[in-house]
Structures are given as C-alpha cells and as structure tokens.
Amino acid sequence: MAKASGFFTPSLRTKIQPSIGVSRSGFCLSEGIFKRVVCSSSIESAGTHVSSSQSRIPKLVNKGCKLVGCGSEVPSLSVSNDDLAKIVDTSDEWISVRTGIRNRRVISGKENLRNLAVEAAKKALKMANVEPDDLDLILLCTSTPEDIFGDAPKVQRELGCTKSQLAHDITAACSGFVLGLFSASCYIKGGGFRNVLVIGADVMSRFVDWTNRGTCILFGDAAGAVVLQACDAEEDGLLSFDLHSDGEGARHLGAPINDNENGSVLEFPPNRSSYACVQMNGKEVFRFAVRCVPQSIESALEKAGLTASNIDWLLLHQANQRIIDAVATRLEFPPEKVISNLANYGNTSAASIPLALDEAVRSGKVKPGHTIAAAGFGAGLTWGSAVIRWG
C-alpha cells in the first residue's frame, strides 16, 4: 500500500513541495521564491507610463485581511445513534466508541443546502455589521449543490444583493472551507476586494447509503459562514496556509458517477447520469489523515513564524474523534485546546470548521486575538491548513 500511494510514503514531504502558501506580507511559495507582492502606484509597459487609475491591474500594497463575523445553521431534524440503530445493524455504543458521534442533523421538509447557506451567511453578516450589498465576493464551498452548475449566485440573490457581485462555488469536499479562506485572502490581498463572504455548506445525507453502517453513521448536514474584511497589514488575521492534493488517494474516498448507467460509447444519446453514494475506505482515510494533517499544520505554523505553543486553539475538520485525538497528540496539543462539536453534528464536510468556529465564538471560548490552527482534509484527496487570528 505504501508503495502504491504517494501520501503514505516516507517521501511525502519531498513529494508535496513546493506547497502553496500565504504569509502575512503577501503571497509566497514554501521555498521562498515569492516572498511578498511588490507593487507601485504606476505600471510601466513597453516604455509607456500608465497610471494606476488608468490600469485594470489593482494596486497591491501591503494589504491584510481579518475575520470579522461568523454564523452557522443546521437542519431542525436531529438523528441519534439510537435512531440509526432502527434502520441499520448498529448501536449507540458501536458508533460513539468508533467515531465520537452521537447525533447528526439531516435536512427534511423544505430544507435544502441553499436555505442553510443563506441563514448562516445572514448571521455572519449581522455579526460583522456588513450589508449584503457591501460584499465584493461570495464563495460557496460545497460538494453537494442544489444545481450542478453551482449555487453561489442563487445564495447571492437570496441574500438580497443588488450589485451583481461575483459569486462562485468551490468544490474541495471536506477541505473546501480552508480553500475558501485561501481564495478570499487572495482576492483581498491581491485583488483589492474589501468584504468577502465565505460559506461552507454540505448536505451529505443525499449521498449516503442509509443501509451501509460504515458510512451512514458518519455524516450530517450543516452550513457555516465567515466574513473576511480588508485591513492594514499589521492587523492581518490570515497568517499562513499550507495546501495539498493527491489524486492517487481518490479511490479511498469519493462519490463517483455511475458509469454503468451511461451505456456503451457507441450509444447515443447517453443515458441520464447519476452519482453513487459516498464510498470510503475508512482505514486508509484514517492513515492518510493522521499522517498528512500534522505535517501540514507544522508547515503552516512554520510559514507564520509560530510554534504550537503560540496557538490558542486547534480546530480540525470534524470527521472522526479518533482522527482529531491522534492529530492533537502528534502535535502535542492538550485536549483542552482542541475544539470539537463532532458528537452533536457528525461529519458535515465543508461546513464542519465554520460550524465549530461559530459555536466556539458565540459561546465565548474563542475570543478576539486568539490564534487558531485549522485544517481540513478529505476526498480528492485534498488537505490544507490555515493559521488564523479571530477578530
């Protein structure tokens, strides 16, 4: 196995470098090829002087960005382990011992992904004291959209935005929210945007085989959102990132299209396509997570010029309590510094990090100025870490 898949080999650190990152002063690669974005008030091209006001290229002058609001939303229906035991061969003890999960929320009635995303976004905007029309960009991180072409523009509409701000989806499964934070920081630090809304939302219940106790016990539905705002470089709250993917591991976790429904190559028109339920090799995903995630967090800390002792909270994608505990142990984070709400919601994919963050902020656990090491990991395989400061 170790030979077949790069993310399990001893040469992982060599294999995945250079990694993409952002430091406080701008964009950088891990080898330090680009240390910061350098710009001036004018642009010279082909001997012709073009003022910044005439150029389409924005000024990039030591910009930072900070987290100023958060929100979350979950479906009304709570499904307990005992409820699942009525439809599949399992028990509360079997599930909780192996995963740490006791309940999860599942959409019902007229609830859907967009409902959850919009409500989470409204709460984040209210906390940030930002009006929908003050947004420059909406990023919806999801792998389960209501529309195959994306839902971000529809979320924009339902929020009441009237200025045609850019809105688009990001698909990176359980790493999606971290990728959304990275994208938002790029738009702000490199594109001149001021207010960016990042939403992590997934409705995994639609892609779960409810007769398979190996997967149906894990997932839930939810949405979480944050507002990022431009600030001076000294106030920057997105300190560093470390991002990776490895398609070799895709076979261990995914929901592929059902090829057998497409007919032969010679048949036309093709039959209507559909996606399979979530398929997962739990043992391999566990090995991947406990090996790659600590290395990614260490890399992000190094880029930020920090160590684990400088971090107030460890916030991991809420996939499995055993994974969370194993990563925390390897990084020597004490349990009291680890944020986890997995027991109440299960694995909510791209929503898990912002959902847990929102609860921690609103409960007073995470306070302004606290530094958080966050990491997402999952299908793709993708994984990434961010060192952020709240407020």
Side-chain angles (χ1 to χ4, degrees), residues 75-366:
S76 58
L77 176 61
S78 178
V79 179
S80 69
N81 291 345
D82 289 331
D83 293 330
L84 288 181
K86 298 175 183 177
I87 62 173
V88 69
D89 182 19
T90 190
S91 68
D92 175 62
E93 181 182 12
W94 193 92
I95 297 171
S96 59
V97 167
R98 288 164 176 77
T99 69
I101 301 169
R102 292 192 177 276
N103 295 283
R104 72 281 298 142
R105 298 296 183 97
V106 176
I107 60 167
S108 61
K110 294 184 179 180
E111 293 173 329
N112 58 40
L113 178 114
R114 283 200 296 273
N115 297 155
L116 299 177
V118 169
E119 291 305 312
K122 287 179 178 178
K123 294 174 183 177
L125 289 169
K126 183 177 180 179
M127 181 184 289
N129 196 25
V130 172
E131 295 297 321
D133 271 341
D134 292 332
L135 292 171
D136 300 303
L137 171 67
I138 298 172
L139 299 173
L140 176 59
C141 311
T142 184
S143 298
T144 57
E146 301 291 321
D147 187 323
I148 194 173
F149 295 118
D151 276 329
K154 298 181 182 69
V155 170
Q156 176 215 59
R157 177 196 63 199
E158 293 183 26
L159 284 174
C161 300
T162 64
K163 295 186 177 180
S164 301
Q165 302 97 319
L166 176 62
H168 67 83
D169 288 24
I170 293 177
T171 302
C174 303
S175 302
F177 183 73
V178 174
L179 269 291
L181 290 180
F182 174 73
S183 298
S185 71
C186 291
Y187 277 107
I188 292 173
K189 295 179 180 181
F193 287 44
R194 178 157 183 80
N195 294 304
V196 178
L197 173 66
V198 180
I199 307 168
D202 269 307
V203 175
M204 296 300 296
S205 61
R206 290 178 172 170
F207 295 91
V208 165
D209 178 356
W210 290 99
T211 66
N212 181 350
R213 73 171 185 172
T215 54
C216 75
I217 64 172
L218 299 173
F219 296 100
D221 306 332
V226 296
V227 176
L228 284 80
Q229 194 167 76
C231 62
D232 293 334
E234 306 81 59
E235 300 176 345
D236 190 17
L238 274 72
L239 308 182
S240 66
F241 291 88
D242 181 75
L243 309 171
H244 304 283
S245 61
D246 187 345
E248 283 291 325
R251 64 189 181 277
H252 297 308
L253 178 57
I257 200 166
N258 286 315
D259 291 330
N260 60 340
E261 294 187 10
N262 287 330
S264 71
V265 177
L266 299 178
E267 288 182 359
F268 184 84
N271 295 330
R272 183 176 178 178
S273 298
S274 65
Y275 288 92
C277 292
V278 174
Q279 301 171 3
M280 184 177 68
N281 183 329
K283 291 183 179 179
E284 297 299 346
V285 171
F286 180 88
R287 290 178 61 195
F288 146 68
V290 299
R291 181 179 183 87
C292 293
V293 174
Q295 291 184 353
S296 179
I297 292 174
E298 287 174 341
S299 179
L301 288 172
E302 183 179 356
K303 291 171 186 175
L306 301 174
T307 65
S309 63
N310 302 125
I311 302 300
D312 296 296
W313 300 103
L314 178 65
L315 174 53
L316 304 179
H317 163 53
Q318 306 289 291
N320 183 302
Q321 194 61 46
R322 286 181 171 180
I323 293 176
I324 295 172
D325 292 343
V327 172
T329 298
R330 294 198 179 194
L331 293 171
E332 298 183 351
F333 273 92
E336 61 271 17
K337 294 178 68 174
V338 179
I339 297 173
S340 176
N341 64 357
L342 177 70
N344 296 325
Y345 302 108
N347 180 344
T348 57
S349 192
S352 75
I353 292 176
L355 172 62
L357 175 64
D358 183 51
E359 286 197 341
V361 169
R362 293 179 185 274
S363 69
K365 180 180 288 187
V366 171

